[in-house]
Amino acid sequence: MSQPIDFYFDFSSPYGYFASTRIDRLAERYGRTVKWHPLLLGVIFKTTGGAPLPAVPLKGDYAFRDFERSARFHGIAYHRPEPFPLPTQLAARAMLWVGQTMGDAKAVEFAQAVFRAYFVDGRKIIDPDVIGPLAAAIGIDAAALIDGANSADIKERLKAEIEAAVARGVFGSPFVIADGEPFWGFDRFDQLEAFLKNGSI
């Protein structure tokens, strides 16, 4: 049986959001499943020396234009959120807690709700008063989720997950690894599909 595809993302990444709307359907076309891994780019940037796109001269201005253009091109609902970017520790830890207590499918449903809340509705997903109701709307106990996300074991698990991702060479969002082959960026999804179809490129 084919191995699952690993999908790494940060909840504050527009390209990660775009990828989240496509990755499962793409995998399904080739009889594959997807393992979703939330990351914190800020932590990874300390290793790579990277920086948030808006903080990079010239490149940041281009990125804002490209976010809008990419969303239009792919027919994905998108509205530039404010503030952008923002810390996503709570959302990432909450997703891990949901996966641990309710299973991967529910964790993905929660992640998709968080992405929509931020990149479509412009809600501040750093806020427990936003994350809690998002969870409640899909049948998750809001108080339990916030408590779980703030627990020591989930904090340690997120740290370990990020360290494991970096050890695999993950440095951005989205980042996909299929059968050991890495693909960075939503604009590499055509190459990812060719790889899934043919086993090589």
Side-chain angles (χ1 to χ4, degrees), residues 27 46 98 111 136-137 167 196:
K46 292 177 181 178
V98 173
L196 294 174

Side-chain angles (χ1 to χ4, degrees), residues 13-59:
S13 164
Y15 297 125
Y17 160 57
F18 300 156
S20 78
T21 70
R22 298 290 189 267
I23 187 65
D24 283 328
R25 280 179 289 170
L26 174 58
E28 187 178 356
R29 283 201 292 272
Y30 299 96
R32 306 292 285 267
T33 58
V34 181
K35 291 185 68 175
W36 289 46
H37 303 274
L39 298 173
L40 302 177
L41 285 180
V43 175
I44 292 176
F45 288 160
K46 292 177 181 178
T47 299
T48 65
L53 281 174
V56 181
L58 300 181
K59 189 176 183 180

Side-chain angles (χ1 to χ4, degrees), residues 11-196:
F11 280 112
S12 69
S13 164
Y15 297 125
Y17 160 57
F18 300 156
S20 78
T21 70
R22 298 290 189 267
I23 187 65
D24 283 328
R25 280 179 289 170
L26 174 58
E28 187 178 356
R29 283 201 292 272
Y30 299 96
R32 306 292 285 267
T33 58
V34 181
K35 291 185 68 175
W36 289 46
H37 303 274
L39 298 173
L40 302 177
L41 285 180
V43 175
I44 292 176
F45 288 160
K46 292 177 181 178
T47 299
T48 65
L53 281 174
V56 181
L58 300 181
K59 189 176 183 180
D61 291 338
Y62 170 83
F64 281 121
R65 188 186 197 101
D66 192 60
F67 299 154
E68 304 278 353
R69 181 175 58 208
S70 295
R72 289 194 304 270
F73 182 80
H74 292 282
I76 299 171
Y78 170 80
H79 179 76
R80 186 198 296 189
E82 292 291 345
F84 173 80
L86 50 64
T88 57
Q89 290 94 329
L90 177 60
R93 294 197 309 255
M95 182 186 175
L96 291 180
W97 180 84
V98 173
Q100 181 174 290
T101 58
M102 304 181 74
D104 291 343
K106 200 67 174 179
V108 170
E109 184 182 3
F110 173 76
Q112 290 169 333
V114 172
F115 269 131
R116 286 193 303 270
Y118 188 45
F119 287 112
V120 179
D121 301 328
R123 302 178 69 188
K124 295 179 181 178
I125 58 171
I126 190 175
D127 189 343
D129 290 334
V130 171
I131 291 293
L134 286 177
I138 58 172
I140 301 170
D141 183 278
L145 175 124
I146 298 301
D147 286 346
N150 288 320
S151 66
D153 64 316
I154 289 294
K155 289 180 179 180
E156 188 59 33
R157 183 179 165 196
L158 178 59
K159 179 181 176 182
E161 292 260 349
I162 294 170
E163 289 174 350
V166 171
R168 296 190 74 190
V170 175
F171 56 83
S173 171
F175 202 102
V176 175
I177 299 177
D179 301 334
E181 187 71 16
F183 298 87
W184 172 44
F186 183 51
D187 56 350
R188 292 296 179 267
F189 268 37
D190 286 344
Q191 291 184 23
L192 171 61
E193 179 161 18
F195 180 82
L196 294 174

